[in-house]
Amino acid sequence: MTTSAPSQHQPQKITYTSANVDLDAFHRAFDAALAEVRARMGQSHPLHVDGEPVRPDRPPIVDVSPIDTSVVLGTFAAAGPDEVDRAVRSAKTQQRRWAALPWRERVRILRRAAELIRERKFLLAAIMAIEVGKNRLEAMGDAEESADLVDYYCQQVEEHDGFVRDMARLTPIEHNVETLRPYGVFACIAPFNFPLALSTGMSSAALMTGNAVVYKPAEDAPWTGLALHDVYRDAGVPPGVFQYLSGRGREMGDALWHHPLIDGVVFTGSKDVGMRIFHGLSERWVKPCLLELGGKNAVIVTDSADLDAAAEGVMRSAFGLQNQKCSATSRVYVYGSVAASFAERLVERTRAIRMGDVTQRDVWFGPVINERAVKRWERAVEQGAREGRLLLGGERLRGGVFDRGHFVAPTIAELPLGSGLFEEELFAPFLSVGVVSGFDEALAEANKVEYGLTAGLFSGAREEVDRFFEEVEAGVCYVNKRSGATTGAWPGAQPFCGWKGSGASGKGGCGPWYVQQFVREQSRTVVGA
Ligand code: UN1
């Protein structure tokens, strides 16, 4: 079985850690895509149920850019319980036909979807840049990751021959086969931060294994979600197999996952919502509930670390996408002997970040998604200043472009280890730094939170590296990763599995065991002939 990453031979591809790309050509193409996206702004978009546009009689979602909240990207229909019911019922009907197709046909259609994502990647990235405030390279990384996710999952189905295999015989006259079969209709509920990659990863795995999907994009990113709907439609996913329902968080999300005809849920988002779904989903029997929940990811910096690499890696993972990644670094535990030099390097690099309108070339740091995120960040700043010392940042950005959107400064606080800011997920650019006495304390601190998604270590000592992997409670672990201390997982390279409060099933997206979670075993025994 090959395990090679799908991306190895394409030097021009932009991942979250790209180098050696012809950036002039990239920016020219990005400018053109932005112009096209801007020309399409302001339209009103329906739901798509059974391939038909549906316009419910309810105030639509007004989708604005976090970079400039006076820019209306479009209005998006808001589904309610009636539209959810209609979409789930028709998905149930369409799913049977879809599941009856030969698996190679479904994989062919999904591979076509991956191709279309690559063909449209500049447009998709430009939509994401404007809709969620992602910088150009991060937005392109999101689009490329989406296409690679689909291909990687298709590769899993192919390598396992559609999940059909001969089994042992107990008697000479029987023939035994096992097959993995779809559950039926999955509710797929996506977050705003990787609005294409996470939506595509979750839904494509469900689809290629013969499930239908009723999809709810994040309320802050319905346009990207609609673009994914168009990709699937144009790739040949039959009407009703992927239903697009934009809608408001709880109002519609609860009606969707709680619908009695939903056979399983795949969700990426906050731990609170994920746990609510988990506890409420299974009433008459146990339904699959695939969750990727938040993180409070720690980096340990020891006295043998390359401090420049550590400062660079932490800065990139703490402030990339304004810390709004489940994989973001939000805590650092640094040895006392190197704390001052590490902090100095980190502050210097963070000070040099270019902030502003991330749709412009070379601007790296943009707005947070909405006013609620600003408020969470303000609360953390106030607490951080009270309990410890702000090393950098702490102010809401003002003047020019900053007055038009949700801009706050990247903030670093040195805090006593007991501060609650080391434990609460903020999803905002606030980094907590604590000083530790050695490796035992660093590991104990890293492991004390209820989350366990990613973790990073900067160290030059082999025994520390070994202990880190052995003892840290996290599913995605990186050592000495300068390009991003805890971020940048890629399909086929780093499975993205949340431990503890960060996940549910122990098998992550981007990895070789993900797709199998969307199907259930059926053993087939035929006696005679
Ligand atoms: C997320 O962090 O919310 O590993 C999703 C990364 C990307 C995104 C993961 N693949 O940083």
Side-chain angles (χ1 to χ4, degrees), residues 16 145 193-194 198 325-327 487-489 496:
Y16 305 109
E145 184 184 2
N193 62 337
F194 283 80
L198 292 170
K325 303 184 186 184
C326 322
S327 57
T487 50
F496 200 70

Side-chain angles (χ1 to χ4, degrees), residues 154-205:
C154 285
Q155 184 189 324
Q156 302 312 309
V157 178
E158 288 162 349
E159 284 177 355
H160 293 90
D161 233 346
F163 299 115
V164 180
R165 71 160 90 186
D166 284 336
M167 302 295 283
R169 286 169 198 252
L170 294 180
T171 63
I173 56 161
E174 73 187 35
H175 181 53
N176 298 327
V177 169
E178 94 121 19
T179 156
L180 293 180
R181 312 273 320 273
Y183 282 93
V185 180
F186 267 83
C188 172
I189 304 177
F192 78 86
N193 62 337
F194 283 80
L196 192 63
L198 292 170
S199 299
T200 308
M202 293 191 287
S203 60
S204 68

Side-chain angles (χ1 to χ4, degrees), residues 221-519:
W223 202 7
T224 309
L226 182 59
L228 175 62
H229 161 270
D230 294 351
V231 162
Y232 284 141
R233 180 197 59 203
D234 299 346
V237 174
V241 172
F242 180 84
Q243 314 270 35
Y244 168 85
L245 294 188
S246 41
R248 295 199 170 77
R250 206 162 166 160
E251 173 184 274
M252 180 221 145
D254 283 5
L256 175 57
W257 65 260
H258 212 243
H259 193 289
L261 293 181
I262 283 290
D263 298 298
V265 173
V266 58
F267 168 85
T268 303
S270 75
K271 177 167 171 284
D272 283 356
V273 176
M275 291 305 287
R276 202 157 53 76
I277 296 176
F278 182 82
H279 287 297
L281 180 65
S282 296
E283 287 175 334
R284 293 170 61 212
W285 56 80
V286 176
K287 296 180 178 180
C289 186
L290 310 178
L291 307 175
E292 199 253 279
L293 310 173
K296 187 72 185 178
N297 309 302
V299 169
I300 298 172
V301 181
T302 75
D303 56 0
S304 60
D306 173 339
L307 294 184
D308 285 315
E312 179 76 18
V314 167
M315 182 278 284
R316 298 188 74 83
S317 285
F319 300 119
L321 191 58
Q322 299 75 256
N323 193 268
Q324 301 167 115
K325 303 184 186 184
C326 322
S327 57
T329 303
S330 42
R331 306 179 282 153
V332 176
Y333 297 109
V334 58
Y335 282 27
S337 53
V338 295
S341 4
F342 168 74
E344 191 186 316
R345 287 169 165 83
L346 176 63
V347 166
E348 185 189 309
R349 279 176 171 76
T350 308
R351 228 189 265 284
I353 289 175
R354 211 151 147 221
M355 303 183 275
D357 174 353
V358 267
T359 63
Q360 291 176 6
R361 66 182 289 172
D362 303 330
V363 174
W364 190 75
F365 183 92
V368 291
I369 191 70
N370 53 32
E371 202 53 32
R372 286 196 306 284
V374 173
K375 290 280 173 294
R376 264 200 320 274
W377 174 89
E378 280 174 342
R379 211 173 19 78
V381 167
E382 185 271 318
Q383 185 179 343
R386 192 158 29 84
E387 295 180 353
R389 192 162 64 93
L390 295 188
L391 302 180
L392 188 72
E395 71 283 355
R396 193 169 178 159
L397 300 170
R398 291 288 179 207
V401 60
F402 297 133
D403 290 339
R404 296 197 280 274
H406 306 296
F407 290 93
V408 300
T411 299
I412 304 170
E414 192 184 312
L415 295 164
L417 296 176
S419 167
L421 289 167
F422 281 110
E423 298 189 47
E424 182 196 348
E425 187 186 38
L426 296 166
F427 236 54
F430 184 94
L431 176 69
S432 304
V433 180
V435 175
V436 288
S437 56
F439 211 65
D440 286 339
E441 188 171 39
L443 270 176
E445 290 298 320
N447 288 341
K448 77 178 181 186
V449 301
E450 56 186 21
Y451 295 101
L453 188 50
T454 69
L457 169 69
F458 288 87
S459 163
R462 182 76 229 173
E463 56 285 8
E464 285 177 346
V465 174
D466 292 344
R467 266 195 78 191
F468 172 72
F469 286 137
E470 218 42 57
E471 294 181 36
V472 77
E473 292 168 1
V476 198
C477 306
Y478 300 95
V479 171
N480 296 332
K481 188 157 169 284
R482 185 183 194 123
S483 60
T486 59
T487 50
W490 199 261
Q494 287 98 358
F496 200 70
C497 175
W499 287 19
K500 295 157 72 180
S502 295
S505 70
K507 310 285 181 297
C510 295
W513 319 115
Y514 186 66
V515 172
Q516 291 88 324
Q517 303 177 101
F518 291 84
V519 273

Side-chain angles (χ1 to χ4, degrees), residues 46-174:
L47 315 171
H48 291 277
V49 179
D50 255 347
E52 301 290 331
V54 174
R55 295 181 188 276
D57 185 17
R58 195 174 289 105
I61 295 168
V62 180
D63 188 21
V64 300
S65 173
I67 304 167
D68 181 341
T69 55
S70 70
V71 173
V72 175
L73 309 186
T75 56
F76 291 80
D82 290 350
E83 294 77 27
V84 167
D85 185 56
R86 181 172 158 198
V88 174
R89 282 178 196 284
S90 75
K92 197 84 188 167
T93 308
Q94 301 305 333
Q95 186 266 333
R96 291 191 196 102
R97 271 194 284 261
W98 176 240
L101 288 179
W103 66 264
R104 283 190 182 78
E105 179 59 10
R106 285 194 303 271
V107 165
R108 188 192 64 73
I109 292 171
L110 269 298
R111 287 236 186 237
R112 176 70 190 135
E115 261 173 42
L116 287 176
I117 290 172
R118 288 195 187 94
E119 281 171 24
R120 299 175 189 179
K121 64 186 181 184
F122 278 97
L123 275 179
L124 292 166
I127 293 174
M128 286 188 270
I130 298 180
E131 189 171 43
V132 301
K134 216 172 249 252
N135 74 38
R136 288 181 173 203
L137 290 174
E138 292 259 8
M140 185 53 77
D142 194 322
E144 295 277 20
E145 184 184 2
S146 307
D148 277 9
L149 277 165
V150 181
D151 275 338
Y152 183 69
Y153 295 156
C154 285
Q155 184 189 324
Q156 302 312 309
V157 178
E158 288 162 349
E159 284 177 355
H160 293 90
D161 233 346
F163 299 115
V164 180
R165 71 160 90 186
D166 284 336
M167 302 295 283
R169 286 169 198 252
L170 294 180
T171 63
I173 56 161
E174 73 187 35

